[in-house]
């Protein structure tokens, strides 16, 4: 850690709680029994401690010890019932959660973690953005639900929620820094379903508002490599490396074919050997050109194109030659040369981190993204998804810049699910009140040492 700003859980959570205390509260002031920040921090705590459901969380919190730990770890004075929590969080305007992301992100900037661990190409940052679904039901719905017809049915409908999520990523870095997501949902006053492309527009505008000076290179799938999007990116001063596909970008690929016959496509081939037990040959072929049309609709809009094929060959059992191949194509506004085409392909491929390191982690590594934490009538489902993303952000920053977290992680054999188990079991069964996260991680890292010190204090 450097730069003087702490990325320790205790400080990050205090910062969040501060922000939560500034949320508007529409409840009758005379009937406020639990402050707003306790509702939000309790929701956050549920994800932070990886509880599988709101009810499970509430049941556990009825235990006196659990409750006193909540006070130490999250500064919660009173924990609301699950029913009350649903009611109150449902009424919170989702946009009020945005400054929380900004505030925590600013800490990552001030601590230098962002610059040291994520910057590429003289201070640029790769922002990978993609949509994901996290809820679907044929009966329970809210004002924000997207609706689709069930296949082969005239009357049945399916309600669902999707979210456009973005994270700062870097090749070779296992961690990511998520930014505020944008719900793909019915917009105010509209009856029509929202779509991922519209959500992307809102996402980019709000991202730029939150981070006006961040030198950003956007990474998306082929859905977003469109002329209107390139216009928006230009206005906002953002660079891009966007996936393209022959099926969705016909003009571009026809142009490439034509330029190929004219010898206008530059090809660079790199070969090396990989693998320990089984030696494998890796062939990487980069084909690129600068200033080609993305679509006929705008003859002024030229893009730079990079095509990348990686082939890995090895001799399998019984002497059979095996082969694995991946193929990607991108367009970018940055110029491509022999000297940087490899780096471009590496950066373009980092887009997958939003699926692998973000969605998969959220869905399969304790956060239970697809579980239903209560649906509500207005914003509950979307707000809970935001609180979950905040918990993920806080965890990621600790992994990047908190030495106590890292030591506890090593103790958990560098398996994140095991660390969550340790934390939850200590939270539930540890005989002494946990005063803060430092203490929690200390107990995980050196339990014997901790007991020795405590005994000395008592003597
Ligand atoms: Zn809904």
């Amino acid at each position: 850690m450097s730069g003087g700003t702490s990325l320790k859980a205790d400080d990050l959570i205090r910062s969040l709680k501060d922000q939560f205390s500034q949320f508007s509260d529409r409840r009758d002031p005379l009937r406020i029994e639990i402050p707003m920040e306790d509702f939000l921090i309790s929701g956050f705590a549920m994800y932070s401690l990886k509880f599988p459901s709101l009810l499970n969380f509430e049941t556990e919190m009825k235990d006196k010890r659990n409750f006193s730990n909540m006070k130490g770890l999250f500064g919660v004075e009173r924990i609301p019932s699950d029913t009350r929590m649903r009611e109150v969080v449902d009424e919170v305007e989702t946009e009020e959660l945005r400054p929380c992301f900004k505030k925590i992100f600013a800490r990552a900037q001030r601590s230098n973690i962002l610059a040291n661990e994520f910057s590429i190409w003289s201070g640029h940052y790769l922002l990978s953005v993609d949509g994901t679904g996290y809820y679907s039901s044929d009966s329970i719905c809210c004002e924000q639900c997207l609706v689709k017809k069930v296949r082969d049915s005239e009357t049945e409908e399916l309600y669902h929620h999707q979210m456009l999520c973005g994270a700062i990523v870097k090749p070779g870095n296992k961690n990511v820094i998520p930014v505020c997501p944008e719900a793909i949902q019915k917009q105010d006053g509209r009856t029509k379903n929202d779509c991922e492309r519209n959500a992307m527009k809102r996402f980019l505008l709000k991202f730029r508002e939150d981070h006006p000076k961040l030198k950003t290179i956007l990474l998306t799938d082929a859905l977003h490599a469109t002329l209107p999007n390139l216009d928006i990116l230009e206005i906002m001063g953002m660079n891009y490396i966007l996936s393209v596909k022959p099926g969705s970008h016909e003009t571009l690929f026809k142009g490439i074919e034509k330029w190929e016959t004219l010898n206008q496509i530059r090809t660079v081939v790199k070969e090396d050997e990989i693998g320990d037990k089984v030696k494998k040959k890796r062939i990487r072929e980069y084909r690129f050109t600068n200033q080609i049309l993305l679509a006929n609709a705008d003859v002024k809009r030229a893009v730079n194109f990079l095509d990348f094929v990686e082939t890995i060959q090895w001799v399998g059992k019984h002497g059979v030659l095996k082969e694995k191949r991946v193929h990607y194509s991108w367009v970018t506004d940055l110029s491509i040369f022999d000297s940087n085409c490899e780096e471009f392909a590496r950066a373009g491929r980092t887009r997958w981190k939003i699926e692998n390191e973000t969605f998969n982690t959220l869905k399969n590594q304790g956060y239970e993204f697809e579980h239903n934490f209560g649906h509500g009538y207005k914003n509950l489902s979307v707000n809970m998804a935001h609180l979950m993303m905040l918990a993920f952000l806080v965890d990621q920053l600790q992994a990047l810049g908190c030495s106590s977290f890292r030591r506890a992680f090593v103790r958990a054999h560098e398996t994140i699910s095991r660390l969550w188990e340790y934390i939850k079991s200590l939270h539930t069964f540890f005989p002494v009140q946990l005063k803060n996260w430092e203490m929690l991680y200390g107990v995980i890292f050196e339990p014997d040492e901790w007991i020795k010190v405590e005994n000395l204090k008592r003597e």
Side-chain angles (χ1 to χ4, degrees):
M1 213 256 304
S2 55
T5 302
S6 151
L7 294 179
K8 289 184 180 299
D10 293 306
D11 297 315
L12 293 169
I13 290 169
R14 203 171 301 126
S15 178
L16 267 183
K17 219 182 156 219
D18 266 3
Q19 195 61 42
F20 287 155
S21 68
Q22 295 171 32
F23 276 40
S24 41
D25 198 335
R26 290 182 195 85
R27 291 175 295 167
D28 178 354
L30 295 174
R31 294 182 59 202
I32 290 179
E33 69 297 9
I34 300 177
M36 180 58 98
E37 62 262 36
D38 279 1
F39 283 94
L40 294 156
I41 205 78
S42 296
F44 171 87
M46 184 178 63
Y47 295 111
S48 183
L49 295 169
K50 318 294 179 286
F51 279 97
S53 74
L54 204 54
L55 190 62
N56 179 279
F57 176 72
E58 198 206 3
T59 312
E60 290 288 345
M61 290 310 137
K62 281 184 182 141
D63 186 315
K64 222 172 157 189
R65 183 167 47 210
N66 262 330
F67 174 67
S68 61
N69 287 339
M70 281 292 286
K71 209 169 173 179
L73 299 181
F74 299 96
V76 175
E77 295 299 328
R78 283 183 65 185
I79 298 169
S81 70
D82 70 324
T83 317
R84 197 70 192 115
M85 175 119 98
R86 286 194 184 104
E87 285 167 3
V88 172
V89 178
D90 195 33
E91 294 287 337
V92 170
E93 290 296 335
T94 305
E95 275 306 300
E96 291 213 53
L97 287 153
R98 175 169 294 278
C100 302
F101 286 89
K102 197 176 159 183
K103 199 166 180 177
I104 301 290
F105 191 90
R107 289 189 82 97
Q109 274 177 308
R110 285 202 303 273
S111 74
N112 289 337
I113 280 292
L114 190 75
N116 293 347
E117 306 269 347
F118 289 91
S119 83
I120 63 161
W121 304 338
S122 59
H124 283 77
Y125 296 94
L126 297 169
L127 172 68
S128 179
V129 183
D130 199 6
T132 189
Y134 65 92
Y135 172 84
S136 91
S137 165
D138 56 7
S139 53
I140 298 168
C141 70
C142 69
E143 287 175 10
Q144 318 292 5
C145 263
L146 299 168
V147 189
K148 65 180 173 193
K149 286 257 179 291
V150 173
R151 201 184 284 175
D152 302 325
S153 164
E154 285 293 306
T155 51
E156 277 177 83
E157 287 183 326
L158 197 67
Y159 306 103
H160 63 123
H161 278 255
Q162 291 175 343
M163 202 154 84
L164 199 62
C165 303
I168 304 290
V169 296
K170 189 184 175 180
N173 194 334
K174 273 190 177 172
N175 292 105
V176 304
I177 301 185
V179 297
C180 187
E182 176 68 30
I184 306 172
Q185 64 186 20
K186 285 225 181 94
Q187 294 300 293
D188 286 346
R190 294 191 190 175
T191 47
K192 258 173 65 179
N193 279 336
D194 191 15
C195 71
E196 193 177 319
R197 277 193 181 150
N198 281 341
M200 179 62 97
K201 259 183 238 163
R202 298 194 303 271
F203 178 95
L204 291 173
L205 290 170
K206 291 175 190 174
F207 175 83
R208 217 28 169 176
E209 233 173 79
D210 287 346
H211 309 286
K213 287 185 190 148
L214 200 74
K215 289 184 186 172
T216 311
I217 303 171
L218 181 71
L219 310 174
T220 69
D221 62 18
L223 180 72
H224 302 286
T226 61
L227 287 172
N229 249 353
L230 298 197
D231 290 342
I232 294 176
L233 289 171
E234 191 178 341
I235 293 165
M236 287 190 292
M238 281 165 78
N239 300 109
Y240 58 82
I241 304 174
L242 310 177
S243 289
V244 282
K245 283 180 181 166
S248 47
H249 298 85
E250 220 178 307
T251 310
L252 174 74
F253 282 88
K254 269 188 188 157
I256 296 294
E257 256 175 51
K258 201 170 158 191
W259 283 30
E260 203 130 45
T261 59
L262 299 169
N263 258 344
Q264 293 292 317
I265 305 289
R266 172 85 188 135
T267 302
V268 173
V269 181
K270 305 259 171 169
E271 268 188 42
D272 58 359
E273 207 178 65
I274 56 165
D276 291 328
K277 283 183 190 156
V278 183
K279 291 275 174 249
K280 295 175 178 178
K281 187 165 139 186
R282 181 169 67 181
I283 309 148
R284 289 172 155 181
E285 193 181 332
Y286 307 85
R287 292 161 62 245
F288 59 90
T289 190
N290 293 313
Q291 296 297 301
I292 189 161
L293 281 190
L294 179 69
N296 284 328
D298 185 352
V299 289
K300 281 184 237 147
R301 176 66 71 191
V303 292
N304 307 328
F305 172 85
L306 172 64
D307 189 73
F308 170 71
V309 179
E310 181 181 85
T311 312
I312 294 173
Q313 295 170 335
W314 70 99
V315 180
K317 274 183 192 166
H318 317 297
V320 182
L321 185 70
K322 299 250 185 182
E323 192 176 275
K324 216 173 92 184
R325 180 180 283 227
V326 291
H327 186 179
Y328 303 94
S329 311
W330 300 280
V331 291
T332 172
D333 58 334
L334 301 157
S335 302
I336 311 167
F337 309 104
D338 282 25
S339 56
N340 66 11
C341 61
E342 277 181 90
E343 278 180 62
F344 262 99
R346 253 163 69 82
R349 288 178 78 174
T350 319
R351 186 182 82 74
W352 288 101
K353 285 189 179 286
I354 193 75
E355 288 187 19
N356 295 346
E357 264 84 348
T358 310
F359 299 155
N360 284 349
T361 307
L362 293 176
K363 288 175 185 180
N364 309 314
Q365 299 273 335
Y367 299 87
E368 312 291 354
F369 194 12
E370 289 167 310
H371 277 203
N372 184 8
F373 287 95
H375 203 75
Y377 301 96
K378 290 181 178 170
N379 305 319
L380 183 66
S381 176
V382 181
N383 289 347
M384 291 311 262
H386 276 66
L387 288 174
M388 184 211 58
M389 194 61 93
L390 274 175
F392 178 59
L393 169 62
V394 166
D395 290 341
Q396 289 291 301
L397 290 189
Q398 288 184 74
L400 283 158
C402 170
S403 51
S404 319
F405 177 95
R406 283 207 201 135
R407 292 199 312 172
F409 182 53
V410 169
R411 188 77 189 193
H413 308 283
E414 308 212 1
T415 308
I416 204 72
S417 53
R418 187 169 291 173
L419 179 63
W420 304 148
E421 271 171 39
Y422 286 1
I423 292 174
K424 203 153 89 180
S425 59
L426 272 183
H427 187 272
T428 318
F429 300 114
F430 195 58
V432 182
Q433 191 204 331
L434 293 164
K435 294 192 182 77
N436 50 42
W437 286 87
E438 276 300 288
M439 175 177 163
L440 173 62
Y441 291 140
V443 176
I444 292 174
F445 180 64
E446 271 179 331
D448 300 341
E449 192 57 29
W450 191 86
I451 290 164
K452 224 191 289 169
V453 172
E454 280 302 300
N455 284 340
L456 274 176
K457 272 192 220 160
R458 265 179 224 139
E459 274 167 18

